[in-house]
Amino acid sequence: MNPARPPETVRPRRPMSRLERRVTLWLKVLALIAVAIYLVVGVLQFLGAVRATAFLFVGALFFAYLVFPLVRRLNERLPLVWSILLVYAILAIAGLAIAQILVPALVNDVQNAIKNFPAIVTKVSAIIQDPNNRFIRWLPIDERLYLATIPQQIGAYVQTNALDTAQKTLAVVLSTVSIVVTVIVIPVLAAYMMLDAAEINEGVLGMLKPKYRAVTEDIIADLDKVVGGFIRGQLIDGSILGFMLTVMLFATGVPYALLIGVVSGALNFIPYAGAIIAFVPAVVLALIYHGPTNAAIVAALIFVIHQIDGNFVAPRVLKDNVGLSPFWIVLAILTGSELFGLAGTFIAVPLAAMIKVLIARLVPRQPVSQAEAAPALTDAPLTRTRPPRRRT
């Protein structure tokens, strides 16, 4: 008989070092990023195949988020169908009134800007070449001549690319098919979304185990809060900013005031884009038509308006912010515009916010102190935020 083997002793596992933990963590992060990229590419390929349908769905989703608070308030006393119909009737009357006032003037500004653009470029070149210009007369003549050619180069580029794109975009936006799709299809889809919201929510939760339903409900609530808050907040904030800029530019006599104000307000969701789009053309036009004093007043008033918006209006309107830094917002916008053009520019930030919510809820994160992260740059001076290194 074979003698009984002694029981095997379990060797204690060697604790992982700090370096090994970091390497393991980064390997897991890289694997998660690779899987996420693979899934995102697959989703984007699918959306590219059904681009028109995807745009209609996203537009209807955004519209539903936009009107949802008012529908919910009316639904406390009225049936859901009548609440939706009443909100749509109010929006239709308000939209027709705004379109009757703004659209003709806006189209007129666009047409005049396109027609007068070469003359504006010529005036800017003449101002730069003026020997009595006290701002640049100290420059050598060769450099002033070179500066005088820059407006013409910019003008040629804008006429070749931007103005042609603007004309095509305006034609598409004002086309009968686009108006029908925007005015009829998107609100109808949004209405169906709101009518079926309860069934959709029940269907999604019914596919999950009971222990996952609470987390799923929290994720859905966070998505609703972030996306809905972004859409409604940006619309209100952009409208207020555009209105203030338009009134100020009208008061100071700057041409194309409505066009500048509307474009600046519409693109206010892009960090610094709204401010630049308002500042550069407004100041240049004020300088051309009314002189340097008016241009300085316009520049100062634009700065004051954006300070009012950034410190008073936006913090109160954008209560449910997307929580993305300007870097991620710009990166999302560039990616969206590269994949889906103009429409991708507007849907990129809400989609990025949704991805951030999903990552925050689904990917466990351990708190990391600033001393452990040891960033190379900090908001405060490094001597205040980073502990002194130990001398060996």
Side-chain angles (χ1 to χ4, degrees):
M1 295 180 63
N2 295 328
R5 295 182 179 179
E8 296 182 359
T9 58
V10 180
R11 295 182 179 180
R13 296 180 61 182
R14 181 179 62 86
M16 297 177 64
S17 65
R18 183 177 179 182
L19 177 61
E20 290 174 333
R21 288 197 302 269
R22 284 193 172 186
V23 172
T24 304
L25 174 63
W26 281 109
L27 289 176
K28 292 179 180 178
V29 170
L30 292 176
L32 181 62
I33 292 174
V35 173
I37 292 175
Y38 179 78
L39 294 176
V40 168
V41 170
V43 171
L44 292 178
Q45 290 177 349
F46 173 75
L47 293 177
V50 292
R51 177 174 298 184
T53 304
F55 286 160
L56 290 176
F57 174 79
V58 173
L61 182 64
F62 286 5
F63 188 80
Y65 273 117
L66 181 64
V67 302
F68 177 74
L70 188 55
V71 171
R72 183 178 58 184
R73 182 66 60 86
L74 292 175
N75 188 222
E76 295 175 357
R77 299 185 178 183
L78 297 174
L80 181 57
V81 174
W82 287 107
S83 302
I84 295 174
L85 291 176
L86 184 57
V87 170
Y88 278 16
I90 295 172
L91 290 179
I93 295 172
L96 289 174
I98 294 174
Q100 188 69 23
I101 297 172
L102 293 183
V103 171
L106 190 60
V107 171
N108 185 58
D109 270 5
V110 172
Q111 293 175 345
N112 289 335
I114 294 173
K115 185 173 89 171
N116 297 328
F117 189 78
I120 294 173
V121 172
T122 302
K123 288 182 180 180
V124 174
S125 299
I127 291 174
I128 296 176
Q129 293 177 351
D130 184 7
N132 297 321
N133 189 333
R134 63 178 181 272
F135 297 104
I136 61 173
R137 62 186 178 185
W138 51 273
L139 291 175
I141 186 64
D142 294 337
E143 295 183 8
R144 290 172 58 186
L145 291 176
Y146 174 73
L147 289 176
T149 62
I150 293 179
Q152 297 176 352
Q153 296 175 10
I154 296 175
Y157 176 81
V158 170
Q159 282 186 315
T160 305
N161 298 279
L163 293 182
D164 183 59
T165 303
Q167 287 177 320
K168 292 180 180 178
T169 303
L170 185 63
V172 171
V173 170
L174 298 179
S175 65
T176 304
V177 177
S178 298
I179 292 176
V180 170
V181 169
T182 304
V183 175
I184 296 179
V185 177
I186 289 180
V188 169
L189 289 177
Y192 282 130
M193 287 180 181
M194 288 183 285
L195 289 171
D196 297 337
E199 295 182 3
I200 294 173
N201 193 23
E202 291 176 2
V204 172
L205 295 177
M207 293 186 296
L208 302 173
K209 295 181 179 181
K211 62 180 180 179
Y212 298 125
R213 291 177 183 175
V215 177
T216 305
E217 287 181 338
D218 291 339
I219 293 175
I220 294 174
D222 287 346
L223 292 175
D224 287 341
K225 182 179 178 181
V226 170
V227 178
F230 172 81
I231 295 171
R232 292 186 292 270
Q234 288 296 339
L235 180 63
I236 297 172
D237 183 43
S239 300
I240 294 174
L241 177 63
F243 175 77
M244 290 191 296
L245 288 172
T246 302
V247 171
M248 183 273 293
L249 295 176
F250 268 122
T252 52
V254 177
Y256 318 117
L258 181 61
L259 177 61
I260 296 173
V262 169
V263 174
S264 178
L267 298 180
N268 188 46
F269 69 97
I270 305 176
Y272 312 114
I276 295 173
I277 290 173
F279 184 85
V280 175
V283 173
V284 170
L285 290 172
L287 178 64
I288 293 173
Y289 287 94
H290 303 292
T293 302
N294 185 266
I297 293 173
V298 169
L301 290 177
I302 290 176
F303 176 78
V304 171
I305 288 174
H306 277 276
Q307 289 300 312
I308 294 174
D309 177 71
N311 294 301
F312 298 99
V313 178
R316 288 164 176 78
V317 173
L318 300 174
K319 294 179 181 178
D320 301 319
N321 204 350
V322 294
L324 295 173
S325 67
F327 169 78
W328 291 111
I329 292 177
V330 173
L331 183 62
I333 291 170
L334 292 177
T335 305
S337 62
E338 181 72 20
L339 293 173
F340 300 108
L342 182 63
T345 303
F346 292 96
I347 67 175
V349 178
L351 291 179
M354 294 172 70
I355 294 173
K356 180 180 183 296
V357 170
L358 293 175
I359 293 176
R361 282 288 184 176
L362 300 178
V363 180
R365 298 181 61 183
Q366 299 295 329
V368 179
S369 65
Q370 195 174 52
E372 291 177 322
L377 301 173
T378 58
D379 294 334
L382 291 174
T383 54
R384 300 180 185 177
T385 58
R386 181 177 296 176
R389 294 182 178 180
R390 296 180 180 179
R391 296 182 179 181
T392 57

Short mmCIF file of all heavy atoms in Angstrom, two decimals, residues 189-223:
data_model
loop_
_atom_site.label_atom_id
_atom_site.label_comp_id
_atom_site.label_asym_id
_atom_site.label_seq_id
_atom_site.Cartn_x
_atom_site.Cartn_y
_atom_site.Cartn_z
N LEU A 189 -42.51 61.60 -34.06
CA LEU A 189 -41.69 60.58 -33.41
C LEU A 189 -41.49 60.90 -31.93
O LEU A 189 -41.52 60.00 -31.07
CB LEU A 189 -40.33 60.47 -34.10
CG LEU A 189 -40.32 59.85 -35.50
CD1 LEU A 189 -38.91 59.89 -36.08
CD2 LEU A 189 -40.84 58.42 -35.46
N ALA A 190 -41.29 62.18 -31.62
CA ALA A 190 -41.13 62.57 -30.22
C ALA A 190 -42.40 62.29 -29.42
O ALA A 190 -42.33 61.84 -28.26
CB ALA A 190 -40.77 64.05 -30.13
N ALA A 191 -43.56 62.52 -30.02
CA ALA A 191 -44.82 62.23 -29.33
C ALA A 191 -44.95 60.74 -29.05
O ALA A 191 -45.36 60.33 -27.95
CB ALA A 191 -45.99 62.73 -30.18
N TYR A 192 -44.61 59.91 -30.03
CA TYR A 192 -44.66 58.45 -29.81
C TYR A 192 -43.69 58.03 -28.71
O TYR A 192 -43.98 57.12 -27.92
CB TYR A 192 -44.36 57.71 -31.10
CG TYR A 192 -45.52 57.68 -32.07
CD1 TYR A 192 -45.37 58.05 -33.39
CD2 TYR A 192 -46.79 57.28 -31.65
CE1 TYR A 192 -46.44 58.02 -34.28
CE2 TYR A 192 -47.86 57.25 -32.52
CZ TYR A 192 -47.68 57.63 -33.84
OH TYR A 192 -48.75 57.61 -34.70
N MET A 193 -42.52 58.66 -28.67
CA MET A 193 -41.56 58.34 -27.60
C MET A 193 -42.15 58.62 -26.23
O MET A 193 -42.02 57.81 -25.30
CB MET A 193 -40.27 59.14 -27.80
CG MET A 193 -39.40 58.68 -28.94
SD MET A 193 -37.91 59.70 -29.06
CE MET A 193 -37.11 58.94 -30.48
N MET A 194 -42.79 59.78 -26.09
CA MET A 194 -43.36 60.13 -24.79
C MET A 194 -44.56 59.24 -24.45
O MET A 194 -44.77 58.88 -23.29
CB MET A 194 -43.75 61.61 -24.78
CG MET A 194 -42.55 62.54 -24.75
SD MET A 194 -42.99 64.29 -24.64
CE MET A 194 -43.53 64.60 -26.34
N LEU A 195 -45.36 58.89 -25.46
CA LEU A 195 -46.51 58.03 -25.20
C LEU A 195 -46.09 56.61 -24.80
O LEU A 195 -46.75 55.96 -23.99
CB LEU A 195 -47.40 57.97 -26.45
CG LEU A 195 -48.17 59.25 -26.78
CD1 LEU A 195 -48.84 59.15 -28.14
CD2 LEU A 195 -49.22 59.55 -25.71
N ASP A 196 -44.99 56.13 -25.38
CA ASP A 196 -44.52 54.77 -25.11
C ASP A 196 -43.42 54.72 -24.06
O ASP A 196 -42.80 53.66 -23.88
CB ASP A 196 -44.03 54.12 -26.40
CG ASP A 196 -45.13 53.98 -27.44
OD1 ASP A 196 -46.30 53.96 -27.03
OD2 ASP A 196 -44.82 53.88 -28.64
N ALA A 197 -43.13 55.85 -23.41
CA ALA A 197 -42.00 55.89 -22.47
C ALA A 197 -42.18 54.88 -21.34
O ALA A 197 -41.23 54.18 -20.96
CB ALA A 197 -41.84 57.30 -21.91
N ALA A 198 -43.38 54.79 -20.79
CA ALA A 198 -43.62 53.86 -19.67
C ALA A 198 -43.43 52.41 -20.11
O ALA A 198 -42.79 51.61 -19.40
CB ALA A 198 -45.02 54.07 -19.10
N GLU A 199 -43.95 52.05 -21.28
CA GLU A 199 -43.80 50.68 -21.77
C GLU A 199 -42.35 50.36 -22.08
O GLU A 199 -41.87 49.25 -21.81
CB GLU A 199 -44.67 50.48 -23.01
CG GLU A 199 -46.17 50.58 -22.74
CD GLU A 199 -46.98 50.32 -23.99
OE1 GLU A 199 -46.36 50.00 -25.03
OE2 GLU A 199 -48.22 50.44 -23.92
N ILE A 200 -41.64 51.33 -22.65
CA ILE A 200 -40.22 51.10 -22.95
C ILE A 200 -39.44 50.88 -21.66
O ILE A 200 -38.59 49.98 -21.56
CB ILE A 200 -39.64 52.29 -23.74
CG1 ILE A 200 -40.29 52.38 -25.13
CG2 ILE A 200 -38.12 52.17 -23.88
CD1 ILE A 200 -39.92 53.62 -25.90
N ASN A 201 -39.73 51.70 -20.64
CA ASN A 201 -39.04 51.56 -19.36
C ASN A 201 -39.34 50.20 -18.73
O ASN A 201 -38.43 49.52 -18.22
CB ASN A 201 -39.48 52.69 -18.43
CG ASN A 201 -38.59 52.79 -17.21
OD1 ASN A 201 -37.45 52.35 -17.22
ND2 ASN A 201 -39.12 53.35 -16.13
N GLU A 202 -40.60 49.79 -18.77
CA GLU A 202 -40.96 48.48 -18.23
C GLU A 202 -40.30 47.35 -19.01
O GLU A 202 -39.86 46.35 -18.41
CB GLU A 202 -42.48 48.32 -18.26
CG GLU A 202 -43.21 49.23 -17.28
CD GLU A 202 -44.71 49.11 -17.41
OE1 GLU A 202 -45.16 48.28 -18.24
OE2 GLU A 202 -45.44 49.83 -16.70
N GLY A 203 -40.22 47.49 -20.33
CA GLY A 203 -39.59 46.44 -21.14
C GLY A 203 -38.12 46.30 -20.85
O GLY A 203 -37.60 45.18 -20.75
N VAL A 204 -37.43 47.43 -20.70
CA VAL A 204 -35.99 47.38 -20.40
C VAL A 204 -35.75 46.77 -19.04
O VAL A 204 -34.88 45.89 -18.86
CB VAL A 204 -35.38 48.79 -20.48
CG1 VAL A 204 -33.94 48.78 -19.98
CG2 VAL A 204 -35.43 49.31 -21.91
N LEU A 205 -36.51 47.19 -18.02
CA LEU A 205 -36.32 46.64 -16.69
C LEU A 205 -36.75 45.17 -16.61
O LEU A 205 -36.19 44.40 -15.83
CB LEU A 205 -37.12 47.46 -15.67
CG LEU A 205 -36.67 48.91 -15.47
CD1 LEU A 205 -37.59 49.62 -14.49
CD2 LEU A 205 -35.24 48.98 -15.02
N GLY A 206 -37.74 44.77 -17.43
CA GLY A 206 -38.19 43.38 -17.42
C GLY A 206 -37.16 42.41 -17.95
O GLY A 206 -37.19 41.22 -17.62
N MET A 207 -36.24 42.89 -18.77
CA MET A 207 -35.19 42.01 -19.31
C MET A 207 -34.04 41.81 -18.32
O MET A 207 -33.13 41.03 -18.59
CB MET A 207 -34.65 42.59 -20.62
CG MET A 207 -35.66 42.57 -21.76
SD MET A 207 -34.94 43.09 -23.34
CE MET A 207 -34.50 44.79 -22.99
N LEU A 208 -34.05 42.53 -17.22
CA LEU A 208 -32.95 42.47 -16.27
C LEU A 208 -33.36 41.71 -15.02
O LEU A 208 -34.54 41.61 -14.68
CB LEU A 208 -32.52 43.89 -15.88
CG LEU A 208 -32.07 44.81 -17.02
CD1 LEU A 208 -31.83 46.21 -16.50
CD2 LEU A 208 -30.82 44.26 -17.68
N LYS A 209 -32.36 41.19 -14.34
CA LYS A 209 -32.60 40.54 -13.05
C LYS A 209 -32.96 41.61 -12.02
O LYS A 209 -32.53 42.76 -12.12
CB LYS A 209 -31.37 39.77 -12.60
CG LYS A 209 -31.03 38.59 -13.51
CD LYS A 209 -29.81 37.85 -12.99
CE LYS A 209 -29.48 36.66 -13.89
NZ LYS A 209 -28.30 35.91 -13.40
N PRO A 210 -33.76 41.24 -11.00
CA PRO A 210 -34.19 42.25 -10.02
C PRO A 210 -33.04 43.00 -9.36
O PRO A 210 -33.18 44.18 -9.04
CB PRO A 210 -34.98 41.41 -9.00
CG PRO A 210 -35.48 40.24 -9.78
CD PRO A 210 -34.41 39.92 -10.79
N LYS A 211 -31.88 42.33 -9.17
CA LYS A 211 -30.79 43.00 -8.46
C LYS A 211 -30.14 44.09 -9.31
O LYS A 211 -29.42 44.94 -8.77
CB LYS A 211 -29.73 41.99 -8.02
CG LYS A 211 -29.07 41.25 -9.17
CD LYS A 211 -28.03 40.27 -8.64
CE LYS A 211 -27.33 39.51 -9.77
NZ LYS A 211 -26.31 38.58 -9.24
N TYR A 212 -30.36 44.05 -10.65
CA TYR A 212 -29.78 45.07 -11.52
C TYR A 212 -30.76 46.19 -11.85
O TYR A 212 -30.38 47.17 -12.50
CB TYR A 212 -29.30 44.44 -12.82
CG TYR A 212 -28.20 43.42 -12.64
CD1 TYR A 212 -28.34 42.13 -13.15
CD2 TYR A 212 -27.03 43.74 -11.96
CE1 TYR A 212 -27.34 41.19 -12.99
CE2 TYR A 212 -26.02 42.80 -11.80
CZ TYR A 212 -26.19 41.53 -12.32
OH TYR A 212 -25.20 40.60 -12.14
N ARG A 213 -32.01 46.07 -11.44
CA ARG A 213 -33.01 47.04 -11.87
C ARG A 213 -32.81 48.41 -11.20
O ARG A 213 -33.00 49.44 -11.84
CB ARG A 213 -34.41 46.51 -11.56
CG ARG A 213 -34.78 45.32 -12.44
CD ARG A 213 -36.15 44.75 -12.07
NE ARG A 213 -36.43 43.56 -12.89
CZ ARG A 213 -37.50 42.80 -12.73
NH1 ARG A 213 -38.40 43.10 -11.78
NH2 ARG A 213 -37.69 41.74 -13.51
N ALA A 214 -32.43 48.42 -9.94
CA ALA A 214 -32.22 49.70 -9.25
C ALA A 214 -31.08 50.48 -9.89
O ALA A 214 -31.19 51.70 -10.11
CB ALA A 214 -31.95 49.46 -7.77
N VAL A 215 -29.98 49.78 -10.20
CA VAL A 215 -28.85 50.46 -10.85
C VAL A 215 -29.25 50.98 -12.22
O VAL A 215 -28.88 52.09 -12.62
CB VAL A 215 -27.65 49.48 -10.96
CG1 VAL A 215 -26.50 50.15 -11.70
CG2 VAL A 215 -27.21 49.03 -9.59
N THR A 216 -30.02 50.18 -12.97
CA THR A 216 -30.46 50.60 -14.30
C THR A 216 -31.36 51.83 -14.22
O THR A 216 -31.24 52.76 -15.04
CB THR A 216 -31.20 49.45 -15.00
OG1 THR A 216 -30.37 48.30 -15.04
CG2 THR A 216 -31.59 49.84 -16.42
N GLU A 217 -32.26 51.84 -13.24
CA GLU A 217 -33.11 53.02 -13.06
C GLU A 217 -32.29 54.26 -12.73
O GLU A 217 -32.58 55.36 -13.21
CB GLU A 217 -34.15 52.75 -11.97
CG GLU A 217 -35.25 51.78 -12.40
CD GLU A 217 -36.27 51.58 -11.30
OE1 GLU A 217 -35.94 51.83 -10.12
OE2 GLU A 217 -37.40 51.16 -11.62
N ASP A 218 -31.25 54.10 -11.91
CA ASP A 218 -30.37 55.23 -11.59
C ASP A 218 -29.65 55.73 -12.84
O ASP A 218 -29.49 56.94 -13.05
CB ASP A 218 -29.36 54.83 -10.52
CG ASP A 218 -30.02 54.59 -9.17
OD1 ASP A 218 -31.14 55.09 -8.96
OD2 ASP A 218 -29.42 53.88 -8.33
N ILE A 219 -29.18 54.79 -13.69
CA ILE A 219 -28.49 55.18 -14.92
C ILE A 219 -29.44 55.94 -15.85
O ILE A 219 -29.08 56.98 -16.43
CB ILE A 219 -27.92 53.93 -15.63
CG1 ILE A 219 -26.79 53.32 -14.80
CG2 ILE A 219 -27.41 54.30 -17.03
CD1 ILE A 219 -26.25 52.03 -15.36
N ILE A 220 -30.66 55.42 -16.00
CA ILE A 220 -31.65 56.10 -16.86
C ILE A 220 -31.96 57.49 -16.32
O ILE A 220 -32.08 58.46 -17.09
CB ILE A 220 -32.93 55.24 -16.97
CG1 ILE A 220 -32.62 53.94 -17.72
CG2 ILE A 220 -34.03 56.01 -17.70
CD1 ILE A 220 -33.78 52.98 -17.76
N ALA A 221 -32.09 57.60 -14.99
CA ALA A 221 -32.37 58.91 -14.40
C ALA A 221 -31.21 59.88 -14.63
O ALA A 221 -31.43 61.07 -14.94
CB ALA A 221 -32.62 58.76 -12.90
N ASP A 222 -29.96 59.38 -14.51
CA ASP A 222 -28.80 60.24 -14.77
C ASP A 222 -28.75 60.68 -16.23
O ASP A 222 -28.42 61.84 -16.54
CB ASP A 222 -27.51 59.51 -14.40
CG ASP A 222 -27.33 59.38 -12.90
OD1 ASP A 222 -28.06 60.08 -12.16
OD2 ASP A 222 -26.50 58.57 -12.47
N LEU A 223 -29.05 59.75 -17.15
CA LEU A 223 -29.06 60.11 -18.57
C LEU A 223 -30.12 61.16 -18.86
O LEU A 223 -29.88 62.11 -19.61
CB LEU A 223 -29.29 58.85 -19.42
CG LEU A 223 -28.17 57.81 -19.42
CD1 LEU A 223 -28.60 56.58 -20.21
CD2 LEU A 223 -26.90 58.39 -20.03
#
